[in-house]
Amino acid sequence: MLRSEHAIVRMNYSRGEVHPDRLNRRTHAHYLQAARQCLRSYANGVGETRESLHRHVETVLRPLGDCPPRRIASFCKLLDDAGSFDTAAGRSVRLRQRVFEIAADLHPIVSQKDGLFDHDVDASRQRVAAELGMSWGDIEDAFFADVLELQRLKAFDASLTPDRLLARYNVAQTQATLYRATRVELSARSDLKRVVRGIKLSGLMHRIEQVHADPPAYRIRLDGPAAVLRGSTRYGVRFAKLLAFLLLCHDWQMRASIRTNDGRPMRMVISDRDGLNGEHEQPDEMDSQWEAEFAKCWVKDPVDGWELRRESQLLSIGQHVFTPDFVLRRRQDGQTIQVELVGFWTPEYLKEKAATLTKFSASASHWLIVVPKSPSSEQQQAMGRLGLPLIAFDKRRRPQQWIETAIAAQDSERPEP
């Protein structure tokens, strides 16, 4: 995945459109051979530093003539992502401390001994190397191995082909453009359930409405990374993750409002017909550690006769559509409990979430709202007014208590005979 500084876009001011940089077989056929050479450099470069590998890539791409520096940097980043590097995880810090501790007793260290100073550079290095049991060359290699550019390649994905590398580049440039989106609108038809799943797995704030009944068509509005949470980088990465998921779906279109450097309103339109290939990036099963922990609690202590399903039910009222995060279902009679996890969102989104839950709470008999262990004041206020059973998530709470809380709340609302 690229960062925003890697993004290359073409501006069509007359149409108000931005187009991410893409390589195609007709215009950029010469990039296939260049990609093959870059892959070979990484496959044969185990033990080399990032800095050295990036020089190899630059040597291959710069002579092409149509490869700007950002494109070179993008290929370096994608190739790095296909490998694993030795980050030295604290070893270099400890080594530097020991070298300086030993060398402190030898100061001042001079280029050559004279009558006043007895410790020259060569003798001091030999002394340090002897005490550490390493050659000076090994010490130099490891001294700054935790610096990003000096990290050494440990392994590389040998299955990556030139075609797949170029496909990853096209997807990654589109993802990087989305970092500047202020508003996004998705149209979905036949694959709505998978699209909604991708949105929720990506942890994005969204609103769904039905715009056509036969055949069914839906419009999904999302707040863009450049509009929420003060342009959070983490939220931008979630949007990039969404695109990777969409590329595995069918019959969708995305219209994104893009904030350009000069402040002009522009748009980007992409769809399942654009030829982008998402085969390389499968989404994680859970969009957050919290949701993963929630599901893990169930796996560790499931309730006999019940099952937990991930986003298995699509609720609709008129034009509005909603998919709870989880559904608890009793096998014997099919009784269900809709489970919604409410995370740390903006106050505006929490208000809309509360309104949505109020609207849909009547469409299913049992609900359970789950908030973080230490909910914010906005969460407490917004969710507390719903009148739905609510728990603060705690890994020590048994899933049996989830079910009891939801059912007891409904039973308490029934009028006595």
Side-chain angles (χ1 to χ4, degrees), residues 20 83 117 125 129 132 140 151 188 195 262 292 302 317-318 329 341 350 389:
F117 303 113
R125 287 175 174 173
L132 293 176
E140 285 187 320
Q151 291 173 356
V195 171
D262 60 7
I317 297 177
R329 181 180 179 276
L341 277 61
L350 282 171

Coordinates of all heavy atoms in Angstrom, one line a residue, residues 20 83 117 125 129 132 140 151 188 195 262 292 302 317-318 329 341 350 389:
P20 N -6.1 8.7 -11.3 CA -4.9 8.2 -10.7 C -4.0 7.7 -11.8 O -4.5 7.2 -12.9 CB -5.4 7.0 -9.8 CG -6.9 7.3 -9.6 CD -7.3 8.0 -10.8
G83 N 8.4 -8.0 0.5 CA 9.5 -8.6 1.2 C 9.4 -8.4 2.7 O 8.5 -7.7 3.2
F117 N 48.4 11.4 23.9 CA 47.2 10.6 23.8 C 47.6 9.2 23.3 O 48.3 9.0 22.3 CB 46.2 11.2 22.8 CG 45.8 12.6 23.2 CD1 46.2 13.7 22.4 CD2 45.1 12.8 24.3 CE1 45.8 15.0 22.8 CE2 44.7 14.1 24.7 CZ 45.0 15.2 23.9
R125 N 39.3 0.4 18.1 CA 38.3 -0.5 17.4 C 38.6 -2.0 17.7 O 37.7 -2.7 18.0 CB 38.3 -0.3 15.9 CG 37.7 1.0 15.5 CD 37.8 1.3 14.0 NE 37.1 2.5 13.5 CZ 37.2 3.0 12.3 NH1 37.9 2.4 11.4 NH2 36.4 4.0 12.0
A129 N 36.0 -4.4 19.6 CA 35.6 -5.7 18.9 C 36.0 -6.9 19.7 O 35.2 -7.9 19.8 CB 36.4 -5.8 17.5
L132 N 33.4 -7.3 22.6 CA 32.1 -7.7 22.1 C 32.1 -9.0 21.4 O 31.1 -9.6 21.2 CB 31.5 -6.6 21.2 CG 31.2 -5.3 21.8 CD1 30.8 -4.3 20.7 CD2 30.1 -5.4 22.8
E140 N 30.0 -2.5 12.4 CA 29.6 -1.4 11.5 C 28.3 -1.8 10.8 O 27.4 -0.9 10.7 CB 30.7 -1.1 10.5 CG 31.9 -0.4 11.1 CD 32.8 0.1 10.0 OE1 33.0 -0.7 9.1 OE2 33.3 1.2 10.1
Q151 N 18.0 -1.2 6.8 CA 17.5 -2.5 7.1 C 17.8 -3.5 6.0 O 17.7 -3.1 4.8 CB 16.0 -2.4 7.4 CG 15.7 -1.7 8.7 CD 14.2 -1.5 8.9 OE1 13.4 -1.8 8.0 NE2 13.8 -0.9 10.0
A188 N -24.4 0.2 -5.5 CA -24.3 -1.2 -5.5 C -25.6 -1.9 -5.9 O -26.7 -1.4 -5.6 CB -23.8 -1.7 -4.1
V195 N -20.5 -5.9 -0.6 CA -20.0 -4.5 -0.5 C -20.2 -4.0 0.9 O -19.2 -3.4 1.5 CB -20.8 -3.6 -1.5 CG1 -20.4 -2.2 -1.3 CG2 -20.4 -4.0 -2.9
D262 N -4.8 22.7 -4.5 CA -5.2 24.1 -4.7 C -6.7 24.4 -4.3 O -7.2 25.5 -4.5 CB -5.1 24.5 -6.2 CG -5.9 23.6 -7.1 OD1 -6.7 22.8 -6.6 OD2 -5.7 23.7 -8.3
A292 N -12.4 -8.5 16.7 CA -11.8 -9.8 16.7 C -11.8 -10.4 18.2 O -12.1 -11.6 18.3 CB -10.3 -9.7 16.3
P302 N -18.5 -20.8 23.7 CA -19.8 -20.7 23.0 C -21.0 -21.2 23.9 O -20.8 -22.0 24.8 CB -19.6 -21.6 21.8 CG -18.6 -22.6 22.2 CD -17.7 -21.8 23.2
I317 N -36.0 -0.9 5.9 CA -37.3 -0.2 6.2 C -37.4 0.9 5.2 O -36.6 1.8 5.2 CB -37.3 0.4 7.6 CG1 -37.2 -0.7 8.7 CG2 -38.6 1.2 7.8 CD1 -37.1 -0.1 10.1
G318 N -38.4 0.7 4.3 CA -38.5 1.7 3.2 C -37.2 1.7 2.3 O -36.8 0.7 1.8
R329 N -27.9 -16.5 16.9 CA -29.1 -17.2 16.5 C -29.2 -18.6 17.2 O -28.2 -19.3 17.4 CB -28.9 -17.5 15.0 CG -30.1 -18.3 14.4 CD -29.9 -18.6 12.9 NE -31.0 -19.3 12.3 CZ -31.1 -20.6 12.4 NH1 -30.2 -21.4 13.0 NH2 -32.2 -21.2 11.8
L341 N -21.8 -3.3 17.5 CA -20.7 -2.8 18.2 C -20.5 -1.4 17.8 O -20.3 -1.0 16.6 CB -19.4 -3.6 17.9 CG -19.2 -4.9 18.7 CD1 -20.3 -5.9 18.4 CD2 -17.8 -5.5 18.3
L350 N -22.2 9.3 15.7 CA -22.8 8.6 16.8 C -24.3 9.0 16.8 O -25.2 8.2 17.1 CB -22.2 8.9 18.1 CG -20.9 8.2 18.4 CD1 -20.2 8.8 19.6 CD2 -21.1 6.7 18.6
P389 N -30.9 -2.9 25.3 CA -29.9 -3.5 26.2 C -28.5 -3.2 25.8 O -28.2 -3.3 24.6 CB -30.2 -5.0 26.1 CG -31.0 -5.2 24.9 CD -31.8 -3.9 24.7

